[in-house]
Amino acid sequence: MDAKRRKFITEAAFAAAGIALGVGPAKAAAAKVASAAKVADSRDICIFSKMLHWLDCGEMAAAAAEIGFDGIDLTVRPGGHVAPERVAADLPKAVAAALKAGLKVPLITTGITDARHPHTEPILKAAHQAGVKYYRTGWLDYQEDVPLPETLEKYSRQLTELARLNQQYNLQGAYQNHAGTHVGAGVWDLWYIIKDLDPRWMGLQYDIKHATQEGGSSWPLDVKLMYPYIKTIDIKDFIWEKKDGQWQIQNVPLGEGMVDFRKFFALVKQYNISGPISLHLEYPLGGAESGARKLSVNPDTVTAAMQKDLKTLRGYLQEAGL
C-alpha cells in the first residue's frame, strides 16, 4: 500500500467517523473511550489484527474501517501490534488510532496466563484505562510427566488468581479453545478449571472452527455447557483434506468449509450470547494469515478476502436474527 493510498484510506476513515483531521483528535478519542466501553457487549465484528501486521496501527485502523469492520481485536503480545513491554505507552496510541477511524477496541489478544508474570498487571491496567472490556489469554499446556487431574487442579488455582486480578481491572479474561493438545482443546477440561469462577472475570473465547475440528458433531454440547462463560467468539472455517496419505486441516474462506455456522448462530441466539466477534482469516493470503510483516501478494488481495468473509459473516448473523 503506497503513501498516497494510505493517506486516502486514513482521511476517508476519519471522515466516516466524523472527525476533522487536525481538530482536537486527542479530545475526540478520549470522549469515545467511555462510549466504546458501553457498547462492548454488542456483537461487533472485529478484525483480528494479526492479519494486518503488515500495517502500523494507524494504517491498520484506517484499512479496517474502509473494509467495514466495527472494531479491532488488537494483538498485545510478543510480535503483535503492541509489545507487552511497551503497553503503557503504545496501547493508548493504538486505541486512539482506532477510535479516530470510528472503530472500537473491545478486546485484545495477549499471552497472559499467570497473574504473577511481570507483564500481566501492566497490560490489564493499560487495557482498563483504554476502555477495553475483554482480553484473550495465552494457552496452557499439559506436561508429559504430570497426571492430568493434577494439572487441572494447578491451572484451576492459577486462573482463580488471575480472575481476581481481572476483577480489579474490570476485565474478562477469555481462554480460547484451540484444537490440539493444549488445555481447553476438548472444552470439558476448561469447564472443570473455571466452573467455580465468576464469568464476568474469567471465561471462554469460543472458537467454533476449532470446536468442530476437535468435536465433530458434539460441539453443541460445548456451547450448552459453557454459554454463561462465552463473552467473545472467534470465527473461521476449514475442511479436512487428504494429502500424501495423511488427513490434514485446510483453512478456507467462510462458508466454504465444514463449520455449520447456521446451527452455531442459532445457538448463539438461543443462549443469548453477546459480545464482540473476532474474524480470523487463516487460509493462504501472502503471509497475512500468519501475521507476516511483509506480504508476498498484492495488499488488495488481502483486503478483498476480508471484505468477502465479512459480508458472509454478516449474512449468517442477519439470517439468525442477530
Side-chain angles (χ1 to χ4, degrees):
M1 194 177 291
D2 60 27
K4 288 183 179 179
R5 178 168 172 77
R6 284 196 297 267
K7 184 175 184 293
F8 170 78
I9 290 175
T10 302
E11 291 177 349
F14 286 2
I19 301 173
L21 293 174
V23 182
K27 184 177 181 181
K32 282 196 171 186
V33 168
S35 176
K38 288 179 182 177
V39 298
D41 285 328
S42 64
R43 296 185 186 88
D44 292 316
I45 302 177
C46 302
I47 182 63
F48 185 28
S49 83
K50 172 184 172 182
M51 280 73 226
L52 290 168
H53 276 177
W54 45 281
L55 296 173
D56 65 30
C57 288
E59 295 166 344
M60 169 191 64
E66 183 185 46
I67 291 166
F69 288 100
D70 302 310
I72 296 171
D73 173 3
L74 186 69
T75 51
V76 183
R77 60 185 183 182
H81 270 109
V82 176
E85 62 271 17
R86 288 193 51 82
V87 68
D90 290 351
L91 182 59
K93 295 176 185 176
V95 172
L99 294 175
K100 286 179 184 178
L103 301 179
K104 304 163 189 172
V105 185
L107 71 160
I108 60 175
T109 291
T110 75
I112 291 173
T113 58
D114 191 334
R116 303 184 189 191
H117 191 281
H119 287 152
T120 296
E121 190 161 6
I123 291 174
L124 299 187
K125 181 179 180 181
H128 169 70
Q129 291 176 339
V132 175
K133 185 74 177 288
Y134 308 100
Y135 74 93
R136 193 176 98 192
T137 68
W139 290 302
L140 301 169
D141 292 313
Y142 288 108
Q143 304 299 317
E144 285 283 337
D145 57 345
V146 180
L148 264 64
E150 185 176 327
T151 299
L152 294 176
E153 291 296 336
K154 171 191 172 184
Y155 288 143
S156 178
R157 294 190 297 271
Q158 189 168 315
L159 292 190
T160 296
E161 188 173 2
L162 185 56
R164 294 193 191 103
L165 193 58
N166 294 341
Q167 182 176 7
Q168 180 180 331
Y169 289 103
N170 195 30
L171 292 163
Q172 192 220 38
Y175 188 99
Q176 179 198 13
N177 57 295
H178 194 290
T181 57
H182 292 299
V183 170
V187 180
W188 297 87
D189 53 350
L190 182 62
W191 174 82
Y192 181 87
I193 292 172
I194 68 172
K195 62 183 173 64
D196 296 322
L197 301 181
D198 190 324
R200 289 177 297 173
W201 318 127
M202 183 57 67
L204 168 65
Q205 184 169 107
Y206 193 71
D207 190 312
I208 181 58
K209 178 258 187 181
H210 285 294
T212 303
Q213 184 178 333
E214 283 291 335
S217 58
S218 68
W219 61 264
L221 297 177
D222 301 341
V223 180
K224 184 176 183 179
L225 177 68
M226 295 294 291
Y227 77 86
Y229 293 90
I230 300 172
K231 307 297 182 183
T232 61
I233 293 170
D234 290 330
I235 293 295
K236 47 199 152 180
D237 208 347
F238 81 104
I239 59 171
W240 285 102
E241 182 178 70
K242 197 168 189 178
K243 187 176 182 180
D244 299 327
Q246 300 292 325
W247 286 102
Q248 302 176 6
I249 291 298
Q250 179 68 40
N251 295 304
V252 297
L254 292 193
E256 297 181 16
M258 298 174 60
V259 176
D260 189 344
F261 289 109
R262 289 182 174 86
K263 185 171 185 177
F264 173 62
F265 285 120
L267 291 177
V268 168
K269 183 175 183 179
Q270 177 182 331
Y271 294 120
N272 195 29
I273 297 170
S274 62
I277 299 170
S278 181
L279 178 62
H280 297 208
L281 293 84
E282 297 189 344
Y283 48 92
L285 283 172
E289 74 282 1
S290 57
R293 296 291 175 175
K294 292 185 178 180
L295 300 180
S296 62
V297 298
N298 189 304
D300 290 342
T301 301
V302 179
T303 56
M306 290 180 178
Q307 288 174 326
K308 181 175 181 292
D309 276 7
L310 178 59
K311 181 179 179 180
T312 301
L313 176 53
R314 290 199 189 282
Y316 285 128
L317 292 170
Q318 184 176 17
E319 187 177 336
L322 296 171

